[in-house]
Amino acid sequence: MKLPVWINSILFFLLVCTSPALSAPDEYLGSGTCQQCHAKEYREWKQSHHQHAMQEASLENILGDFSQSQRVIAGKAIKFHVNQGTYAISIDDQRYTLLFTFGFFPLQQYLVKMKGGALHALPLAWDSRPKEQGGQRWFMLPSGNTARASDPLHWTQITSNANTMCIECHTTGYKKNYSTQQSSYTSSWSELSVGCEACHGSAKRHMKEAKSQQWSIHKGFINSLSSSWQPQEWKFQKNSSIATRKNSKLEHREIETCATCHSRRLPLDKRFTHGQHFLDAFAPTLVTPPFYEESGRVREETFVYGSYLQSKMYLAGVTCSDCHNPHTLQLRAKGNSLCAQCHNTEVFDTPSHYQEEGKTCVECHMPLNTFMGIDDRRDHSFRFPQALRHNQPQNDLMNLALDIRNETTPPILRGSYLVRALPFLKESAETLVEQAAHSSHDLIRYAAAQVLSYLEQPERTRLGLLLIQDKLRAVRVLAARELAGTEIPEAKQDLVLSRIEEYRASLLALAELPSSQVSLGILETKLNNTNHAIEHYKRALELNKHTVAAYINWADILRIQKKEREAKRVLLEGLKYEVDDPDLNLSLGLLLGRQQLYKEAAKYLETTLERRPQDLRAKQALAFCKQQAH
């Protein structure tokens, strides 16, 4: 039985947060503990965005102006309330008490309590930029401009749920604690803000060793960052205009520490553990549309990691702290002086290089993207300007994918080229995936696991069995996804079953997301557990009635079971919420066509083509239905 696979994108669009249930895990001691011995670092951190990442909603922490009791913002009547130190905002005639501030600059959001222990970010935010830059005002985020409360992008929906989406990156020692049975959260954290232990890990053992003065190799920390910034490692060699690192080995620990939050990724477990390899804890987005332009430039909010790993600076061994002070988060120098740490000014900081007086390096090599209306962020791939402006023709993309062993190209790009080009490389697909599956680069093997579905049997199973034995969970679970439901040699069946369970557990880590329930439904369908699959699709629709994939996959199971009347009912139910969706209309049109209800089928197929004019399947089906109707 083969069903179409419809996987919803999990969209991490907004910055959001946790529930007010507080309990400090024993292993975290708090940033105040570090102050006595690390006074300078503590002072620097106290002024940083990390320290302001999330705070109690109090007079001291709220930046927004509550002096006017009512304003009209983006066409909405907004009321502001202050009562004995408690702040509240009324939107759409509903009053919400502010519990936490979220972020600091260039905007500050506010978290409010919803049902089931959930916190959501209000769609109204404060522009904290100076007035001369257009700031010091309230403004509405896109999540507040969505009219329907049931719309997946409305601020009350899961895309703005703080517990799931972002609070782990605005606190220390976060535990989501979502109950599937109760559809509720009892989230907790050890410290509001991104404290010292959020990056360094628990200081409990470190403090014990400090008292005894008997130090272990990393002074009691699992996550040692002691070798992060070493400017003495960088030297200008004779006749070279760019400094090189004396120790050329790439330092992954620091970059992966930052990437736990500064990346677009899905968690693979319910909680991150310090010291884990990044790909053991997360499945990152590769450099692929729609999150990136075809050129590799950032398009959506991807939080730096995927951009930076494309750069020559990454290959040269440059890490985040070479440019950023990790405690203040500020740049180590201003303007072109920052780049002059490693780039000879006589060569690069001249009019002949940038061809325009007064230009800065970042204007050409780090173009800006604006997110959340006012938040300007620079692309970190450090490409040549012309490379960032032009898209790649398909032939160029295929040639780049074929060059998968080229060590001068960053691994994330080679893996991304493979994922993007493989559908067009049928003759070379097996060879390329074979090379990728045996790569020493983690992200290339990760990419190989993502494209197994393009291979025919028995190659898919053969390479899948290799990849499910990978050292990294992100690779294993994607390979297991592709092996589910396939014929496996008896000697490997127990291994495959254990990896399928690992994949299932990774989906359950985000059980509150409709898209995870859809993926669980697809998995159970592959395993011929159709009743379980239907339960997951029903659960997805309980979470959000607009989950198109759940209607389509559920209806397809019913169709295969010869329950066509029930399948029609499910698809019509979906069209109540997404009347113009091309996939729902196509599925219903095809179903009715199979029942020889040609005129009725044509109506839905025509709607599909109105929304998606180039849909070949809809064109062929519509032509057939019209022919049969006459």
Side-chain angles (χ1 to χ4, degrees), residues 40-56:
K40 175 179 177 290
E41 289 80 3
Y42 183 81
R43 285 195 306 272
E44 290 178 339
W45 169 80
K46 283 289 284 184
Q47 304 304 315
S48 73
H49 285 222
H50 275 175
Q51 198 275 332
H52 292 289
M54 181 174 168
Q55 296 290 334
E56 300 281 352

Side-chain angles (χ1 to χ4, degrees), residues 132-360:
E132 55 271 22
Q133 295 179 16
Q136 300 302 298
R137 65 186 176 94
W138 293 99
F139 71 104
M140 194 69 70
L141 291 163
S143 59
N145 295 325
T146 305
R148 295 180 304 179
S150 61
D151 190 294
L153 297 183
H154 191 271
W155 75 272
T156 59
Q157 294 298 321
I158 190 67
T159 47
S160 292
N161 172 272
N163 313 62
T164 293
M165 290 301 178
C166 285
I167 209 156
E168 65 178 323
C169 288
H170 286 250
T171 59
T172 304
Y174 177 63
K175 292 182 179 179
K176 183 173 63 176
N177 297 333
Y178 175 73
S179 168
T180 305
Q181 291 73 25
Q182 302 296 323
S183 295
S184 64
Y185 300 86
T186 54
S187 303
S188 68
W189 51 84
S190 66
E191 182 178 359
L192 279 175
S193 79
V194 181
C196 307
E197 292 166 295
C199 301
H200 291 279
S202 169
K204 193 172 185 180
R205 186 175 169 185
H206 175 72
M207 291 295 291
K208 184 178 179 180
E209 292 184 5
K211 289 176 182 178
S212 67
Q213 287 296 298
Q214 294 180 356
W215 298 105
S216 61
I217 187 171
H218 296 315
K219 296 193 173 182
F221 288 111
I222 295 174
N223 202 28
S224 174
L225 298 171
S226 59
S227 61
S228 294
W229 187 48
Q230 297 178 319
Q232 70 278 4
E233 286 283 314
W234 295 93
K235 301 292 182 185
F236 284 96
Q237 304 301 322
K238 188 177 181 181
N239 299 323
S240 175
S241 58
I242 299 177
T244 54
R245 185 170 177 159
K246 185 167 64 175
N247 178 7
S248 61
K249 183 180 179 181
L250 290 181
E251 171 55 62
H252 295 288
R253 179 57 60 87
E254 180 194 335
I255 291 172
E256 291 196 354
T257 297
C258 299
T260 58
C261 286
H262 292 273
S263 66
R264 191 181 187 105
R265 80 293 188 276
L266 297 178
L268 297 175
D269 206 346
K270 292 185 177 180
R271 192 178 177 205
F272 169 71
T273 303
H274 283 95
Q276 276 184 296
H277 189 291
F278 183 63
L279 291 180
D280 258 340
F282 304 104
T285 298
L286 291 177
V287 185
T288 56
F291 306 110
Y292 295 84
E293 304 287 354
E294 290 183 16
S295 64
R297 179 178 171 173
V298 167
R299 178 190 290 165
E300 302 291 347
E301 232 174 338
T302 53
F303 309 107
V304 177
Y305 170 80
S307 293
Y308 184 65
L309 262 62
Q310 300 177 49
S311 71
K312 289 186 176 181
M313 290 169 65
Y314 166 73
L315 286 183
V318 177
T319 62
C320 310
S321 64
D322 285 315
C323 298
H324 300 269
N325 180 312
H327 300 112
T328 65
L329 308 183
Q330 299 301 310
L331 295 173
R332 293 197 178 276
K334 292 183 178 181
N336 290 353
S337 296
L338 179 68
C339 306
Q341 293 180 119
C342 294
H343 296 265
N344 189 321
T345 56
E346 294 180 2
V347 175
F348 295 105
D349 197 2
T350 63
S352 63
H353 178 72
Y354 43 74
Q355 299 176 354
E356 190 176 331
E357 192 67 35
K359 275 278 189 181
T360 60

Side-chain angles (χ1 to χ4, degrees), residues 259-557:
T260 58
C261 286
H262 292 273
S263 66
R264 191 181 187 105
R265 80 293 188 276
L266 297 178
L268 297 175
D269 206 346
K270 292 185 177 180
R271 192 178 177 205
F272 169 71
T273 303
H274 283 95
Q276 276 184 296
H277 189 291
F278 183 63
L279 291 180
D280 258 340
F282 304 104
T285 298
L286 291 177
V287 185
T288 56
F291 306 110
Y292 295 84
E293 304 287 354
E294 290 183 16
S295 64
R297 179 178 171 173
V298 167
R299 178 190 290 165
E300 302 291 347
E301 232 174 338
T302 53
F303 309 107
V304 177
Y305 170 80
S307 293
Y308 184 65
L309 262 62
Q310 300 177 49
S311 71
K312 289 186 176 181
M313 290 169 65
Y314 166 73
L315 286 183
V318 177
T319 62
C320 310
S321 64
D322 285 315
C323 298
H324 300 269
N325 180 312
H327 300 112
T328 65
L329 308 183
Q330 299 301 310
L331 295 173
R332 293 197 178 276
K334 292 183 178 181
N336 290 353
S337 296
L338 179 68
C339 306
Q341 293 180 119
C342 294
H343 296 265
N344 189 321
T345 56
E346 294 180 2
V347 175
F348 295 105
D349 197 2
T350 63
S352 63
H353 178 72
Y354 43 74
Q355 299 176 354
E356 190 176 331
E357 192 67 35
K359 275 278 189 181
T360 60
C361 306
V362 297
E363 286 179 84
C364 292
H365 296 284
M366 299 182 72
L368 284 169
N369 288 68
T370 302
F371 300 104
M372 306 184 79
I374 62 169
D375 191 359
D376 293 336
R377 302 182 201 169
R378 293 198 177 276
D379 187 282
H380 276 65
S381 61
F382 300 99
R383 301 279 192 85
F384 295 121
Q386 59 269 29
L388 285 167
R389 284 195 292 265
H390 299 295
N391 290 333
Q392 294 154 335
Q394 186 172 304
N395 286 341
D396 288 353
L397 177 63
M398 291 190 289
N399 288 333
L400 288 166
L402 290 167
D403 200 19
I404 199 165
R405 289 179 170 172
N406 185 348
E407 292 296 324
T408 64
T409 302
I412 195 170
L413 282 177
R414 284 183 274 161
S416 301
Y417 295 147
L418 176 69
V419 169
R420 291 175 56 197
L422 204 71
F424 314 110
L425 291 169
K426 294 183 179 179
E427 292 181 4
S428 308
E430 182 186 344
T431 301
L432 272 178
V433 179
E434 175 102 42
Q435 291 174 352
H438 286 90
S439 175
S440 61
H441 296 290
D442 302 331
L443 285 168
I444 294 179
R445 299 196 309 280
Y446 174 62
Q450 294 190 38
V451 296
L452 285 173
S453 59
Y454 290 103
L455 302 183
E456 300 294 335
Q457 296 292 15
E459 287 78 13
R460 184 192 305 181
T461 297
R462 179 176 64 82
L463 291 175
L465 288 172
L466 169 67
L467 290 168
I468 63 166
Q469 299 176 70
D470 199 90
K471 63 181 180 179
L472 297 172
R473 185 184 304 182
V475 180
R476 297 195 300 266
V477 297
L478 289 175
R481 180 186 69 185
E482 300 306 327
L483 290 178
T486 61
E487 189 172 336
I488 304 297
E490 186 175 353
K492 298 289 186 180
Q493 287 178 3
D494 287 344
L495 173 63
V496 171
L497 286 174
S498 70
R499 296 299 189 243
I500 288 173
E501 284 306 308
E502 189 175 37
Y503 173 54
R504 182 183 278 113
S506 74
L507 295 175
L508 289 171
L510 289 170
E512 66 271 39
L513 293 180
S515 49
S516 289
Q517 294 296 332
V518 169
S519 293
L520 284 162
I522 292 168
L523 174 63
E524 298 299 350
T525 300
K526 288 181 175 181
L527 298 173
N528 288 319
N529 299 326
T530 53
N531 289 337
H532 289 311
I534 289 172
E535 289 304 310
H536 285 299
Y537 296 138
K538 287 181 178 179
R539 176 60 179 157
L541 295 172
E542 287 174 10
L543 293 167
N544 191 283
K545 296 292 187 184
H546 294 262
T547 310
V548 168
Y551 294 110
I552 293 173
N553 289 1
W554 180 7
D556 217 32
I557 290 175

